[in-house]
């Protein structure tokens, strides 16, 4: 096994981590998943409405699980009034679970509020992007590159950062994802630890985590990028 690992590492070192190579990987992954076209759907404009009216921020704020848990509590309370002897024993733990869901949703709501605040900033940065899928992180990633006019050799550019996105539910795993290749306008600062919201046209993407800068001189970052371009 050690020999195989060393051989795989040697092969990885020979892979050119350029925009050209990673673009080919992004297009290959898109064909494999049927994602050649954008799957983004219109939603309420976060610049004109409060954040809880935006569908994508409901997901980012983890509000749907809370709504479901509160609904179960209401049903259990109604059942207790109508038929006290017919309430199942497990219903007694629902209030405890609801408290946990409230705490989870409070944290998610803070994240959604922060995302909305960032998205309302004027996007001052334009970057090329590739949509790549991480097997290790189980997440789709927006991988950012400089614009062609900002580089003497655009096809040879290395990635400069990533923005993690969420997958959808199992029944619709790839919903709300953009096309595999394009240009994004970025709201917020591209600084580690801060949220950055990419806009595709007039539609924002809602990241799951803060912006992550890439340094291919760092072994861990190098492994992350190699992992993104594995063949399907």
């Amino acid at each position: 096994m050690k020999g195989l690992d060393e051989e795989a590492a040697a092969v990885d070192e020979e892979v050119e981590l350029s925009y050209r190579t990673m673009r080919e990987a992004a297009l290959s992954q898109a064909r494999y998943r049927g994602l050649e076209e954008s799957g983004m759907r219109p939603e309420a404009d976060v610049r004109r409405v409060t954040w809880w009216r935006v569908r994508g921020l409901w997901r980012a704020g983890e509000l749907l699980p809370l709504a479901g848990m509160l609904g179960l509590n209401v049903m259990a309370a109604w059942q207790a009034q109508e038929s006290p002897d017919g309430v199942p024993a497990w219903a007694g733990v629902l209030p405890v679970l609801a408290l946990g869901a409230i705490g989870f949703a409070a944290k998610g709501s803070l994240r959604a509020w922060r995302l909305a605040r960032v998205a309302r900033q004027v996007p001052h940065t334009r970057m090329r992007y590739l949509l790549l899928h991480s097997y290790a992180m189980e997440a789709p990633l927006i991988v950012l590159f400089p614009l062609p006019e900002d580089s003497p050799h655009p096809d040879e550019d290395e990635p400069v950062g990533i923005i993690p996105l969420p997958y959808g539910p199992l029944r619709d795993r790839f919903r709300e994802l953009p096309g595999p290749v394009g240009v994004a306008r970025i709201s917020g600062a591209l600084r580690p630890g801060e949220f950055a919201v990419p806009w595709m046209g007039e539609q924002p993407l809602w990241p799951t985590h803060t912006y992550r800068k890439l340094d291919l001189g760092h072994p861990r970052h190098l492994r992350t990028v190699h992992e993104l371009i594995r063949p399907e």
Side-chain angles (χ1 to χ4, degrees):
M1 288 297 294
K2 183 177 179 181
L4 292 175
D5 290 341
E6 291 175 349
E7 182 179 351
V11 171
D12 277 350
E13 289 177 359
E14 295 175 1
V15 175
E16 179 189 10
L17 296 178
S18 65
Y19 177 81
R20 180 195 302 108
T21 302
M22 297 183 72
R23 183 177 185 274
E24 292 173 359
L27 293 174
S28 174
Q29 292 181 11
R31 286 192 296 269
Y32 179 78
R33 293 172 171 81
L35 295 174
E36 293 95 334
E37 302 294 333
S38 172
M40 299 176 66
R41 297 178 296 165
E43 63 180 8
D45 191 337
V46 70
R47 296 166 296 186
R48 294 178 172 84
V49 301
T50 52
W51 70 264
W52 58 82
R53 295 177 59 188
V54 180
R55 183 185 62 250
L57 289 177
W58 266 75
R59 293 173 60 199
E62 305 291 349
L63 296 182
L64 291 178
L66 174 62
M69 183 57 63
L70 294 179
L72 287 175
N73 276 268
V74 170
M75 291 176 60
W78 178 82
Q79 181 68 26
Q81 289 182 346
E82 293 293 318
S83 177
D85 295 333
V87 179
W90 55 263
V93 304
L94 285 178
V96 177
L97 294 177
L99 287 175
I102 289 171
F104 192 65
K107 183 178 179 180
S109 295
L110 178 60
R111 181 173 68 246
W113 175 80
R114 291 175 61 194
L115 286 172
R117 186 178 63 175
V118 171
R120 292 183 183 118
Q121 300 175 18
V122 176
H124 290 295
T125 307
R126 293 176 70 245
M127 304 281 286
R128 283 183 295 174
Y129 80 85
L130 299 174
L131 177 67
L132 288 157
H133 299 261
S134 169
Y135 297 93
M137 298 171 61
E138 273 297 303
L141 302 176
I142 292 293
V143 184
L144 298 176
F145 296 81
L147 292 173
E149 54 265 33
D150 297 332
S151 173
H153 304 289
D155 283 345
E156 299 174 12
D157 284 340
E158 295 181 343
V160 297
I162 58 175
I163 301 176
L165 301 177
Y167 279 126
L170 290 177
R171 66 179 182 278
D172 193 4
R173 190 77 164 143
F174 306 125
R175 73 181 187 186
E176 306 295 348
L177 292 179
V181 177
V183 174
R185 297 177 299 126
I186 313 293
S187 289
L190 292 176
R191 289 194 290 264
E194 296 191 19
F195 279 114
V197 175
W199 287 79
M200 310 297 172
E202 294 301 311
Q203 187 82 13
L205 290 170
W206 303 113
T208 56
H209 295 88
T210 55
Y211 171 75
R212 301 180 185 182
K213 185 178 180 180
L214 287 176
D215 176 9
L216 297 189
H218 192 292
R220 182 164 55 85
H221 292 195
L222 190 62
R223 286 197 301 271
T224 296
V225 176
H226 277 301
E227 191 274 329
L228 291 176
I229 59 175
R230 288 181 181 176
E232 299 291 352

